[in-house]
Every structure is written in structure tokens, then in C-alpha cells.
Amino acid sequence: MTTVLGKPLKRRDAEPKLRGDARYTDDLHLPGLLHARLVTSPYAHARILRIDCDAARRTPGVVAVFTGHDLLPEGPEPAERARHLLARDKIIYAGQPVAIVVAESPYVAADAAALVEVEYDELPAVVDPLAAMTPEAPVIRPKELEGEWAEAGMHATVSGGEELDVRRLPANVTNAVRFQRGDVMQGFARADVVIERTYRTPFVHQAYLEPHASVAVPRPDGGVTIYTTTQGQFYCRNVTATTLGLPHEMVTIVPMEVGGGFGGKTVLLEPLVAAVALQLGRPVKLVLTRTEEFLLATPAPAAIFELRAGARRDGTLTALRARVIFDSGAYPGAPVTIALLLLGGTYRWEHLDLLGYEVLTNKPGTGAYRAPGVPQATFALEQLIDELARAIGQDPLELRLRNAARTGDLQPNGVPWPPIGLVDVLERARQHPLWRSRQRRPNEGWGIAVGGWPGGIEPCAANIRLNHDGTFTVTLGAIDITGTHTVLAMIAAEVLEQPVERIRVKLLPTDGAPYAGMSGGSKITYTVGLAVQAAAEDAKRQLLEIAANELEAAPEDLELVDGAIRVRGMPDRQITLREIAHLSMVFGGKYAPVYGTGRSVVRQQSPGFNAQIAHVAVDPDTGEVEVLDLVAIQDVGRALNPALVEEQVHGGVGQGIGWALHEAMRWSENGQPLNPSFLDYDLPKASQLPPIAVELVEVPSPIGPFGAKGVGEPPVVPTAAAIANAIADAIGVHLSELPITPERMLAALRDKAVS
């Protein structure tokens, strides 16, 4: 039993944000602040012949103009987006920065940036990943320049599979991995039904409201302090320091409020702004415009899934073969491995052969977006499962239950599944009224899909101190973007047996904060929560030792009640926390200050799964799809704050509806962006979201604090697949490409009529 946890407490950051009191990076106005504006390329692939900055430099108010040759005079151009400050010799995507103008005001910087003249020699561009895989495709960058994508480890730690020798593959193929089990040809031979399909998903932008923004301030010691919107301050520090050739301790990141991230706010502008500030010896601010966000930030990658699957009429899944191609844009880093693991690990396939490729194209480099790679894989897999069920005459939910992975089943990489609640959420879905009451109605359909996330792991630490007023302060290095600081305060309050109002949470910059990983991958409560729990237990032990000495009692005979520690059953024998603070934090004090430390190094994941039921109506005349109802059922381990958990599920489902029916970044054949603004990029409006019913299933994690699992990623994973399956139930046709627009719906209905 717990007294604080499990209650729906409001987020601590809610009121400041609602009042407009929260401070974002662009709110900073420092003495001597300069403003920067980028000059970007109109071409997707070109050589830079000449950059004329003279007119810009002569503009009154302009302090400096830098090009790629100014910041990186020699050596290879970096293979990571964050380290590639400015293009020096070659353009590899439209919107790539080629120069940066620094001025006394943002308006002067913008006007002067328009005066920079760049002469290009346009090269053939390749935007289709299949075309990019051919030997004759234009080479985007020499393969020997590729490096690891460090951000992959910031979200989920997955490994295994046979890494193929990409040196033997065409130049634009930068990663290839394969998972095999058994003999798929034998599996297909033993199948009663074999289905082969190809599915496509597009680039999708994270669509956060706050654009990327950074302010860099040079220091007298030669270092730099950076105020920025980031989900991972230590990773941001490390990348910036390495890029600039500085020791890590010479770079300090001060994390500001994050106005939406979803995986897209890690490190992007910080090395560039820091380099410019160090050159000029003055603070520099750079804030992207909305169009620049679409041109040069890091959206979710597009993907192609070529699947072949077999099943027997008794419901046994015999074989799955897949060729998966991720379009990584101009830089490596697509989530190929994790997509393959969930593609082949969600169900019990007797035989597997999964092959995945990462391919470069002349589009912006991709990054993380809520459950990287898994919504794409689930859209394909869950439609295929539905088709197999109907082909063998089984209920689609029952087929899933029969074959769903259980604890101990082997994933494609040979690692057993830790405790998972996939069967539990399916069982709950089977009993839900929306599924049980479905019936045949014209142009209406019901669909189900499941999807999961393996969970993130990373070392971290936390500290807790007793304050003079008897309250406690938790010091952290983990960024709060989803209410995690509220939950961490609740964990500390639970251990210390205090009202949560007596727990303060302080986020410190990198030069003073205990280490924490990126706020992404559904891992902050899971990992930092354990560190906070340990720190609170350490602080509690110290409190009881002091109280035991003062009260002349054994620590085990003491209890914490109402801001005091007293002997059980003897309320008159007590000492307040204020008194303990006084005894430990004054001149001549009797005791060392109460300061609890906690560390966590979690090595085992606690996966979370979500089952969703969608009820849709299709207008056969317009092709419009209306989602009438949606139920999301998620295993959360334990809901430490049910209100915040439901908030995460609602947000994920909303973004999943965006994947399903609305969102796609588009480019022309020569790599020109076609919809780089909120005017043209279709996002679901509040009026287009259905009633979303959330049900929480609690299959406690043996690792997470008080049984909790990560909850952020799973809600977005099955939504598009559930809606696609509901559409197929309504019209009898599976659509294989996202988003499912009215145009695609009408085309599918016409094809059905012809056939």
C-alpha cells in the first residue's frame, strides 16, 4: 500500500505554462546579445562554387557572416547532422545551411541573409530510396565517412542480428542488418495461406510548437554556456564539446523549457551557435523559422515494408519474411534494428527472415519521433495479421491472442522477452464493449491492433537534501517534458512519508546536475525514478539515525509523521524535521547535513504494450474517414500518477491519428520540399479527434520503481494500424500507404469496383 502514489495529482508545470510564466529560450534577452539567421540552399544536391557575403557584411548592424570554410576549413564534412555546422563544399538536401549571418537585431540578420549570394553547380538528386539503392544512383556522400548514430541509444537499447557488410552494397546503403530463425521456405511450404504485401509510410514531422532555439554565451575561461531547448542536456553537451574540440567541462548546457519535443529536440543548433559565439566573444541567439524547421530539422524517416507471411488454418503463424527499407535522408541513423525486432518479435513465428536497410536520399536527415521505427513497422505487421486471420477464417483478435509473445519467448535477436503484458491488454480488449458490440453497418468498420516498445535503459543519478524549513529538494539532470518531475516528487514523498507539497524538484545545468540520459524512449520514470527512490531511502536512513540519537530510541521504532519523526505509540517523544535541519546545518551543528544520493544502472528493459480498437465511418462519395471511437488499452506496470499516464496515452493516440489520416512531408522529384509549413502540412485538429477511452492494465515491472514501466512510446504505435484495419472492415480493402487520404480512399474504392 502507498499513500501518495497512484493518485491523479496535477502536473507541477501546468500552472506556469497556462499563465505564460514559463521561460523558453527565445524569452532570453542577455546584455550584448547578437541574433543569427541562416542562409539555406534552394537545391537538394549541388556543389558550392562561390559564396559572396560582401553585401551582407556591409549592411549596417551586421557583425559577421560565417561560411562552412570559416568554421571547418579542412577535413571531411561530418556525417552527423548536429556536427555538420554549415555545408562547405557540397549540398546534400534542400534547406541545408550554407552560411550564418550575425547582427545586432533579428530583423537586420534576416535582411542581410537575403543578400548573401551563393553560386551552385546543381547535381542530380535522388529522393526515392529504391532508386537510391541502385548502383547508378547519385552518391550522396562517400561511405567511409559514415559513423554511428548516437541518438539511437538515447531511446531504447536494442541489439543483435547479423550486420551485413555494407561495403559490398551500393554507395547510399549505409546500414544493413538481418535476423533469421529456422527456414522460412519450409514455413511457407507448410502454410495453408501465404500473403505477400508491400506497405509504405512517409516522413513525418514531430510538429512541436516551439521551434529549435539556442543561445550561446562565451565565458572568460574559454568555455561556453548554452541555453537551449533540449531533451537531453548531457548528450547535447557531449556532442557540442566534441564537435568544437573542447573538453566536456568547458561546455555547460542550461536546459530551458521544451515547447514540445517528441524525440526531435536533442542537439541540432547548439554546436553551430557555440562556435559563432566563441568566434565573436559575445552571446548569440539563433531561433529557427517554421519553414526552416521543416527544411532542416530531423523528422521521422519514411519506410517501405515488403512482407510475406504464412499461416496454417489452425492459427499457427508459420513464417515471416521481410525486406525493410528506411529512408534516412542525407545522414545515417534510421531505426532499422528496433523496427525489425518488433516486426518479428510481437508474435510467435516459427520461421523468420528479416532483412533491413538504411538508405540515404537527398532529404533532411531523420531523427527520433515517439517510438522510432515502430509505428511504421506496426502499420505493416498488424494489417498483415488481419489479412491472415480473415484468410484462414479466424477472428483477428483470437489469432493475435493465440500467437502473442509471452514472457520468455525469444525475440528475433535471441533475447527472451522480459515480463510483458501483451496478452493482458488483448484479453482486456476482447472484453471491451466497443469490440464485443461491433456489428455490420454500411460503410462502418471496427479494427484492432497492438504495438509495443521495448523500453529504454541508461545509468543515472539523483540527490535529495533536507532544507532548513524541513522540506526536501530533489536535484536532477533529467529534463521534464511530460510531467516526470511531478512523478519523481511523488516517489520521493512516498519513501520519505511526506506530503508531496513538501518535495521540491530542481533541474540543474550540466555543470552541477547528477547525470541523466535523454528524456525519451519512455525511460525517465523507469530509470531516474529508481535513483530518486534510492536517494530518498538514503536521506530517510540519515534522518532516522539523527532522530534515534536525539530520542534515544532504535531507528526501527521510529516513524515519520507530519513533518516530524516520533517514537511509535509515543507521540510526545518526537523531533521535527526543522529541528534536525538546524542540528545539521548551523555553526557548531552536531550532525552532518542530510543529503541522500541515489544511483541507478538498469540493465533489463520492461516493455510496454498497447492494444487499440478503432471504430470508423467511411464516406464512399468523398473518401473521408471519420474516427468515431477509439479505445486505448495499455500495460503501464503501475500507474504512479494515473492522470499523467492517461495524458500520455491521449497525446500518443492523437499523434497516431496524424500518422494514419493526415501527416506526410513531401518532396518533388528533384528534392524540393512541397509542404514546409503548417499551412500545407496537414495536422489533425482537435475537432477531428474522436472520443478516446483509456484503460490501464497493470502488470508490474520487477525493475521499475514501485512496478512502473515507461508509458510515452506505446500509445502512438498501433493507432494507424487499428484505423487501417477498421477501414478494411468497412470497405473490404486494405490500404497499404500512409496517410490514408480521401484521394487514396477513392482510388481504392474505384479499384475495388473495377475488380
Side-chain angles (χ1 to χ4, degrees):
M1 296 294 294
T2 56
T3 58
V4 175
L5 299 176
K7 295 181 179 179
L9 303 184
K10 66 180 181 180
R11 286 175 58 159
R12 293 187 163 195
D13 60 342
E15 287 189 17
K17 289 179 177 177
L18 289 170
R19 291 194 305 262
D21 293 337
R23 294 188 75 203
Y24 297 86
T25 304
D26 195 31
D27 293 326
L28 293 177
H29 300 284
L30 305 177
L33 181 66
L34 298 173
H35 300 266
R37 178 57 66 87
L38 298 173
V39 179
T40 59
S41 168
Y43 298 106
H45 202 194
R47 294 187 186 90
I48 300 174
L49 302 180
R50 182 181 63 89
I51 303 178
D52 185 351
C53 303
D54 289 345
R57 291 191 174 110
R58 289 195 300 267
T59 302
V62 169
V63 175
V65 181
F66 297 97
T67 68
H69 280 280
D70 297 322
L71 299 182
L72 185 68
E74 57 187 22
E77 297 201 57
E80 289 183 60
R81 169 65 188 90
R83 302 179 196 270
H84 201 175
L85 307 182
L86 298 171
R88 188 185 60 198
D89 304 311
K90 185 183 177 186
I91 295 298
I92 53 178
Y93 63 95
Q96 184 175 3
V98 299
I100 185 169
V101 177
V102 187
E104 298 288 350
S105 83
Y107 311 106
V108 171
D111 291 342
L115 299 177
V116 175
E117 295 183 0
V118 186
E119 183 180 347
Y120 300 95
D121 176 21
E122 189 175 5
L123 300 171
V126 58
V127 296
D128 181 349
L130 294 178
M133 294 180 72
T134 62
E136 62 273 13
V139 178
I140 293 172
R141 62 167 72 249
K143 188 171 290 186
E144 64 267 20
L145 300 186
E146 305 305 338
E148 293 184 3
W149 183 57
E151 288 183 30
M154 300 292 102
H155 275 76
T157 303
V158 293
S159 61
E162 174 192 359
E163 289 192 8
L164 306 183
D165 188 353
V166 296
R167 293 173 299 179
R168 301 178 181 273
L169 299 174
N172 295 323
V173 179
T174 53
N175 185 24
V177 63
R178 189 171 206 162
F179 295 97
Q180 291 180 296
R181 182 169 69 220
D183 183 340
V184 293
M185 296 310 296
Q186 183 183 96
F188 290 134
R190 294 179 177 176
D192 296 314
V193 172
V194 175
I195 295 177
E196 192 164 354
R197 297 286 183 266
T198 297
Y199 304 90
R200 296 174 181 267
T201 64
F203 275 68
V204 173
H205 198 277
Q206 294 90 345
Y208 29 74
L209 290 182
E210 179 206 25
H212 279 85
S214 296
V215 176
V217 182
R219 302 200 304 251
D221 64 357
V224 62
T225 298
I226 305 171
Y227 301 82
T228 191
T229 173
T230 179
Q231 295 176 235
Q233 59 173 332
F234 286 97
Y235 177 68
C236 182
R237 178 202 64 182
N238 297 349
V239 170
T240 302
T242 303
T243 301
L244 302 183
L246 294 173
H248 286 182
E249 63 269 18
M250 297 295 283
V251 176
T252 298
I253 302 297
V254 181
M256 303 295 290
E257 287 283 359
V258 180
F262 315 110
K265 298 275 186 72
T266 50
V267 52
L268 185 72
L269 305 178
E270 292 84 357
L272 173 59
V273 180
V276 171
L278 288 170
Q279 290 260 7
L280 298 177
R282 289 178 63 180
V284 175
K285 178 194 287 188
L286 175 58
V287 180
L288 294 187
T289 66
R290 183 61 58 188
T291 295
E292 287 171 341
E293 276 289 347
F294 280 95
L295 292 178
L296 58 90
T298 53
I304 301 171
F305 293 82
E306 300 170 354
L307 305 184
R308 189 171 190 236
R312 289 198 287 270
R313 297 204 180 277
D314 65 0
T316 302
L317 300 178
T318 62
L320 175 65
R321 185 171 66 193
R323 187 176 85 133
V324 177
I325 299 155
F326 271 92
D327 181 347
S328 191
Y331 300 93
V336 179
T337 299
I338 193 169
L340 293 183
L341 285 175
L342 271 297
L343 189 70
T346 303
Y347 298 104
R348 294 168 156 176
W349 299 93
E350 291 183 338
H351 306 276
L352 287 173
D353 187 1
L354 312 176
L355 180 60
Y357 296 100
E358 171 189 270
V359 181
L360 301 187
T361 59
N362 290 116
K363 298 197 281 290
T366 59
Y369 178 27
R370 206 167 193 163
V374 186
Q376 299 97 311
T378 302
F379 170 70
L381 174 66
E382 288 295 289
Q383 285 204 85
L384 195 65
I385 291 292
D386 252 39
E387 286 205 68
L388 286 172
R390 286 173 170 77
I392 62 176
Q394 283 204 8
D395 178 88
L397 195 152
E398 298 303 325
L399 180 65
R400 287 175 169 85
L401 266 174
R402 173 189 172 99
N403 293 281
R406 272 81 168 167
T407 302
D409 285 346
L410 294 182
Q411 301 174 64
N413 59 358
V415 176
W417 275 112
I420 57 174
L422 175 54
V423 170
D424 302 79
V425 297
L426 280 168
E427 291 280 7
R428 181 74 67 86
R430 180 164 62 176
Q431 301 303 319
H432 197 279
L434 186 62
W435 184 254
R436 292 172 63 88
S437 64
R438 67 194 191 281
Q439 53 188 287
R440 180 56 53 197
R441 297 177 190 166
N443 302 317
E444 288 189 29
W446 287 258
I448 190 167
V450 297
W453 180 253
I457 54 176
E458 195 162 15
C460 60
N463 301 318
I464 295 181
R465 73 169 186 265
L466 175 66
N467 300 316
H468 284 87
D469 61 358
T471 63
F472 296 87
T473 295
V474 181
T475 54
L476 300 171
I479 313 298
D480 183 2
I481 55 174
T482 60
T484 50
H485 284 186
T486 303
V487 175
L488 297 175
M490 293 171 69
I491 290 173
E494 186 68 45
V495 174
L496 292 167
E497 301 177 67
Q498 299 295 304
V500 72
E501 293 78 17
R502 297 180 64 83
I503 308 296
R504 302 166 184 166
V505 177
K506 183 70 173 176
L507 172 64
L508 299 181
T510 54
D511 60 356
Y515 177 80
M518 195 179 89
S519 293
S522 300
K523 70 171 181 289
I524 292 301
T525 298
Y526 184 66
T527 58
V528 181
L530 285 175
V532 169
Q533 183 178 355
E537 290 168 348
D538 187 23
K540 183 177 181 179
R541 176 187 57 78
Q542 296 172 37
L543 288 168
L544 292 176
E545 287 178 354
I546 294 172
N549 192 57
E550 289 294 309
L551 299 174
E552 298 180 344
E556 57 269 21
D557 293 333
L558 303 177
E559 60 182 351
L560 283 83
V561 180
D562 296 330
I565 301 177
R566 69 189 185 192
V567 179
R568 295 181 191 277
M570 303 177 67
D572 57 326
R573 292 186 60 193
Q574 70 170 19
I575 183 171
T576 67
L577 297 181
R578 282 177 179 266
E579 291 172 321
I580 292 177
H582 180 76
L583 292 172
S584 60
M585 289 188 289
V586 296
F587 180 76
K590 296 173 61 177
Y591 304 101
V594 175
Y595 191 82
T597 61
R599 299 175 298 163
S600 166
V601 56
V602 179
R603 298 182 182 273
Q604 180 176 314
Q605 296 163 297
S606 290
F609 277 85
N610 185 298
Q612 292 184 18
I613 307 166
H615 175 205
V616 307
V618 178
D619 187 327
D621 297 321
T622 66
E624 294 282 349
V625 175
E626 181 182 3
V627 183
L628 302 174
D629 296 285
L630 196 141
V631 174
I633 302 167
Q634 182 161 322
D635 167 29
V636 300
R638 184 182 175 197
L640 303 187
N641 186 325
L644 298 192
V645 172
E646 291 187 18
E647 173 188 282
Q648 284 295 293
V649 176
H650 275 267
V653 170
Q655 289 178 316
I657 291 172
W659 277 91
L661 303 176
H662 298 270
E663 299 183 51
M665 298 176 70
R666 306 185 189 281
W667 288 265
S668 67
E669 291 183 357
N670 62 353
Q672 289 299 309
L674 300 178
N675 59 340
S677 72
F678 280 156
L679 182 65
D680 302 303
Y681 183 82
D682 183 27
L683 285 169
K685 302 175 179 63
S687 60
Q688 295 170 308
L689 298 181
I692 301 170
V694 177
E695 294 198 7
L696 305 181
V697 174
E698 294 188 320
V699 180
S701 163
I703 307 296
F706 298 94
K709 299 176 181 177
V711 300
E713 257 72 14
V716 75
V717 172
T719 310
I723 292 172
N725 285 335
I727 291 170
D729 185 52
I731 66 171
V733 177
H734 277 274
L735 280 84
S736 59
E737 186 168 359
L738 292 179
I740 302 173
T741 60
E743 293 81 5
R744 287 182 175 141
M745 281 295 311
L746 290 174
L749 289 168
R750 285 195 299 268
D751 291 344
K752 179 186 177 185
V754 170
S755 61

